[in-house]
Amino acid sequence: MDEVTTYPDALRWLDSFAGNTIQQNRCMQMEKSVRDIRFLLRPRYGQSHALIIGINRYRHAGPLGYAVNDANAVYDRLTRDYGFQTENVQLLLDEDATSEAIRRAFLRFADQDSVGIDDRVVLFFAGHGATRRGVRGEIGYLVPHDGDLNDLSTLLRWDELTRNAEIIAAKHILFVMDACYGGLAVTRAVGAGSVRFINDMLKRISRQVLTAGKADETVADAGGPLPGHSVFTGHFLQGLDGAAATAGGVLTASGLMAYVYGRVSADAGSFQTPHYGHIDGDGDFIFRMPHVADADGTSSEDALFVVPYPEELDTRSGLESKVSRAKHLLAQPDRAIELHDFVIDELKRFLSATAQDSFNHDVSYSDEELTQRLAAYEECTLDLSVIEACLAYWAGDAHRPVLRKVLARSVDRLEASGGMAVWSNLRWYPLVLQSYCAGIAAVAAGRYDTLADVFSTEIHTAEESRPAFRAVADAILAFSRTELFKRLPGYERHHTPMSDYLFKLLQPRLDDALFIGRAYEHAFDEFEVLLALASAQAYVKEERSVWGPVGRFGWKHSRSSKAPLEAAFVRARDEGEQWAPFKAGLFGDNYGGFLKAAEEYRLAITRLNWF
């Protein structure tokens, strides 16, 4: 393969094997790697090229106010901040931006002596767009300076650009169109919330596009966040100025597009919804990647980044729709794979939203910050937690592995962290929420086998590995030692502030999803009792003083058989190894050891003197 030096060469090399039975096996083995051409690409950029177009004055269409300003500002950002050499950036404004001039300028990128395989290309267009209905759907057009909306031959068909992009060797091409038009078919090549290595994205082909709006929408040519710029380009420029970058300073096209989508969709002066995604490939255009490359451009290290999703206006359905979909898929055993993918998509969104970049641990403590942080974690976690509750309530044998997987993978972003201990400890709050929702649902349904799955799921972090019940118990202990939940308004004098807080927080969501009704309090208390007893048994096995998280049942405890802890102890003692939680495997197979630990814990609770 010494003769293969460009992407087109690689494709021709592959095509040369067509019909050659001798080489057929080798061709099949090499096809994917050749199509990616990752073996040809380097984890850095060569040259950076751009074609920037802005049209205010049209020969046959109404004028625009800020398209030229927008184009000039993008030119300044690329050449000033992102390493685009002025000799590689062409700016076409007003009468210079004719149909012929745009085509000629774009096709110059196909010159392999000028644009290499490791290069990147940006095409920015600010002007009018148009849409026509064809027999197979909408067709989108860009309107050049000399374009006449009544004469399609004078317009620039959008997919003409994408087809011609196939002959451009550059591994990454980003189209940014401050225009509204239809007929744009894109995919989300990398799912939101996915984790990718920057170097890997640099070694994959990508053709990405971001447009200001769709066919039936009107671009707002004024009133944006920056004076003198459209709504779309104003937010785009703010994203380039750093608003769309990660906390580590990494700025990718995916991050920029998600940022612009969210801001433009939510802007009070906007009546448009941007459209974005991949039209080819699964790489990502990288604007900035600090601390990843040496001065000479060679890679010195790699770094993971999280593919984001829009924050201001998420494309996800509401919780009610998600719960409905989860129930629908759970009711059909032959759709277990579809259920898996649905839940994993929600998990990826959760992981993206709870990445450490979003929760700085060096922030000084204040009660206000605590309240805001709890609310932020809850907003990120509760949709996933309620879906897990549906799994725990209705899951069959084919579905329970999904529940275990979600719990186990939900700590993927938990890394050893400096900063304030209170914020580091609070990283575990999402796992507590998930475990409570799944556990309460399992108890409400009498599914102690599912609860055993929840408790025994191994939670792996860089520091250690432990079953989920132990990770949750340890988190609650850390919260208790710092009296974290006692700092919340209205909970200062509560014996069990976290338990009381979660009792009220989770009730409406679980009742809407599962209609538990008045049985909710019983299920909540029983779950907390079983969590405490599992922890107590683990402590006794380790020959430590008995301990388990004390929930609301602690101040309800008495010798009355109706008190939650006493009721569980009496049933466990009277029913022996046939007691449903023990029979389901919640406490292993040593009934005598469990009963001993339960008795010790029961006596320890009595000493609290809360009743």
Side-chain angles (χ1 to χ4, degrees):
M1 287 189 59
D2 293 338
E3 74 281 8
V4 179
T5 58
T6 68
Y7 185 35
D9 284 342
L11 296 182
R12 284 193 295 272
W13 178 84
L14 176 67
D15 291 340
S16 71
F17 289 113
N20 187 332
T21 56
I22 297 175
Q23 300 288 353
Q24 185 175 11
N25 290 336
R26 185 184 173 205
C27 177
M28 292 174 64
Q29 293 170 358
M30 294 297 294
E31 181 173 0
K32 186 178 186 301
S33 61
V34 172
R35 295 293 180 185
D36 295 338
I37 62 165
R38 273 176 284 178
F39 60 93
L40 296 175
L41 300 178
R42 299 175 183 177
R44 61 173 176 81
Y45 285 123
Q47 298 289 320
S48 299
H49 310 265
L51 171 59
I52 301 173
I53 303 159
I55 309 171
N56 285 344
R57 299 192 300 272
Y58 278 90
R59 189 179 299 171
H60 304 292
L64 294 173
Y66 297 118
V68 169
N69 284 354
D70 293 341
N72 281 322
V74 171
Y75 177 91
D76 289 340
R77 296 306 196 282
L78 294 182
T79 56
R80 183 190 69 198
D81 301 331
Y82 291 101
F84 285 70
Q85 299 297 316
T86 55
E87 60 268 24
N88 291 337
V89 181
Q90 185 167 1
L91 184 63
L92 297 178
L93 304 177
D94 286 337
E95 59 273 7
D96 291 333
T98 62
S99 176
E100 181 182 356
I102 293 172
R103 286 189 177 94
R104 184 184 299 115
F106 184 68
L107 287 174
R108 285 198 187 104
F109 295 138
D111 181 359
Q112 294 180 19
D113 292 331
S114 301
V115 178
I117 195 169
D118 278 311
D119 291 359
R120 58 179 175 173
V121 173
V122 171
L123 171 62
F124 177 86
F125 176 91
H128 283 305
T131 303
R132 294 292 183 269
R133 174 70 62 177
V135 295
R136 295 183 178 178
E138 295 177 334
I139 300 171
Y141 295 86
L142 303 179
V143 183
H145 166 73
D146 55 344
D148 185 345
L149 293 173
N150 296 314
D151 183 356
L152 292 181
S153 67
T154 66
L155 305 184
L156 186 61
R157 183 165 163 161
W158 157 249
D159 59 10
E160 178 183 340
L161 295 174
T162 60
R163 289 197 306 272
N164 285 332
E166 295 178 5
I167 60 174
I168 297 174
K171 60 186 174 185
H172 291 170
I173 301 179
L174 174 62
F175 298 91
V176 182
M177 306 295 180
D178 193 350
C180 288
Y181 56 90
L184 182 63
V186 299
T187 63
R188 302 292 187 263
V190 181
S194 298
V195 180
R196 293 293 186 267
F197 282 100
I198 290 178
N199 284 356
D200 189 48
M201 292 294 97
L202 284 166
K203 296 173 70 176
R204 293 173 180 265
I205 290 292
S206 77
R207 304 290 187 257
Q208 293 162 279
V209 60
L210 170 64
T211 72
K214 302 176 184 177
D216 57 350
E217 298 175 335
T218 301
V219 167
D221 190 41
L226 297 179
H229 295 288
S230 72
V231 171
F232 173 85
T233 299
H235 288 293
F236 179 75
L237 292 172
Q238 288 185 327
L240 283 177
D241 289 340
T246 69
V250 176
L251 179 60
T252 68
S254 291
L256 182 58
M257 293 190 295
Y259 173 85
V260 173
Y261 174 91
R263 294 309 189 273
V264 173
S265 299
D267 194 296
S270 170
F271 299 96
Q272 63 202 75
T273 304
H275 200 35
Y276 75 95
H278 283 69
I279 54 177
D280 191 20
D282 59 354
D284 204 345
F285 189 107
I286 311 293
F287 281 94
R288 180 181 291 134
M289 45 181 180
H291 312 304
V292 177
D294 290 325
D296 64 357
T298 59
S299 175
S300 59
E301 59 178 301
D302 206 349
L304 283 169
F305 71 99
V306 179
V307 179
Y309 65 93
E311 298 175 1
E312 291 295 325
L313 181 63
D314 195 352
T315 56
R316 294 178 292 169
S317 304
L319 177 58
E320 184 178 356
S321 296
K322 295 177 188 178
V323 168
S324 177
R325 178 162 175 76
K327 291 177 180 178
H328 181 70
L329 295 174
L330 279 164
Q332 303 178 69
D334 61 337
R335 301 184 73 178
I337 295 176
E338 190 175 348
L339 175 69
H340 169 276
D341 292 346
F342 165 68
V343 178
I344 294 304
D345 281 346
E346 191 65 31
L347 172 64
K348 288 181 177 180
R349 293 187 181 100
F350 159 79
L351 290 171
S352 177
T354 56
Q356 282 188 209
D357 288 347
S358 303
F359 293 89
N360 187 353
H361 297 157
D362 293 323
V363 175
S364 299
Y365 177 84
S366 69
D367 290 347
E368 181 181 5
E369 177 67 23
L370 170 63
T371 303
Q372 292 175 353
R373 221 165 254 242
L374 286 174
Y377 275 125
E378 289 158 9
E379 183 179 357
C380 297
T381 309
L382 283 172
D383 281 12
L384 176 64
S385 298
V386 174
I387 292 172
E388 289 173 277
C390 292
L391 286 172
Y393 196 87
W394 280 295
D397 291 341
H399 306 126
R400 284 161 55 188
V402 180
L403 178 58
R404 293 194 297 269
K405 181 176 182 178
V406 173
L407 281 170
R409 295 295 303 277
S410 67
V411 300
D412 277 4
R413 304 286 158 77
L414 290 185
E415 303 169 354
S417 174
M420 293 198 66
V422 64
W423 305 140
S424 182
N425 291 336
L426 202 59
R427 296 175 303 156
W428 291 94
Y429 183 49
L431 182 65
V432 173
L433 291 174
Q434 294 173 77
S435 300
Y436 262 72
C437 284
I440 294 165
V443 170
R447 297 295 304 274
Y448 296 105
D449 53 347
T450 302
L451 184 60
D453 282 348
V454 172
F455 278 10
S456 63
T457 296
E458 283 295 312
I459 302 297
H460 300 281
T461 64
E463 296 101 349
E464 60 183 321
S465 177
R466 51 194 162 155
F469 83 86
R470 188 60 180 272
V472 170
D474 289 347
I476 295 172
L477 178 59
F479 300 159
S480 300
R481 284 172 172 165
T482 55
E483 296 192 326
L484 204 59
F485 284 82
K486 275 185 177 288
R487 302 167 190 258
L488 298 180
Y491 290 88
E492 301 90 340
R493 301 177 64 84
H494 285 227
H495 289 305
T496 56
M498 192 203 80
S499 177
D500 297 337
Y501 177 81
L502 293 182
F503 180 76
K504 293 182 178 179
L505 174 72
L506 302 180
Q507 186 277 330
R509 293 166 174 83
L510 292 179
D511 195 52
D512 286 347
L514 307 176
F515 196 60
I516 301 175
R518 293 183 177 179
Y520 172 75
E521 182 169 7
H522 173 78
F524 186 97
D525 289 342
E526 186 177 352
F527 164 73
E528 288 198 317
V529 166
L530 295 174
L531 175 64
L533 293 177
S535 180
Q537 184 183 29
Y539 269 67
V540 170
K541 284 182 178 179
E542 295 168 8
E543 299 183 352
R544 300 169 62 187
S545 297
V546 69
W547 181 85
V550 183
R552 300 172 76 251
F553 65 83
W555 53 260
K556 293 181 177 182
H557 180 73
S558 70
R559 294 294 181 177
S560 167
S561 61
K562 294 183 180 180
L565 178 58
E566 188 67 18
F569 178 79
V570 169
R571 290 193 64 183
R573 183 193 62 198
D574 293 349
E575 297 177 19
E577 295 184 14
Q578 296 305 306
W579 182 49
F582 186 84
K583 189 176 180 180
L586 265 174
F587 304 102
D589 56 3
N590 183 355
Y591 173 73
F594 159 72
L595 201 62
K596 178 178 180 293
E599 174 63 24
E600 289 186 25
Y601 185 75
R602 175 170 168 257
L603 293 174
I605 292 296
T606 303
R607 301 188 191 105
L608 293 174
N609 294 320
W610 285 350
F611 48 92

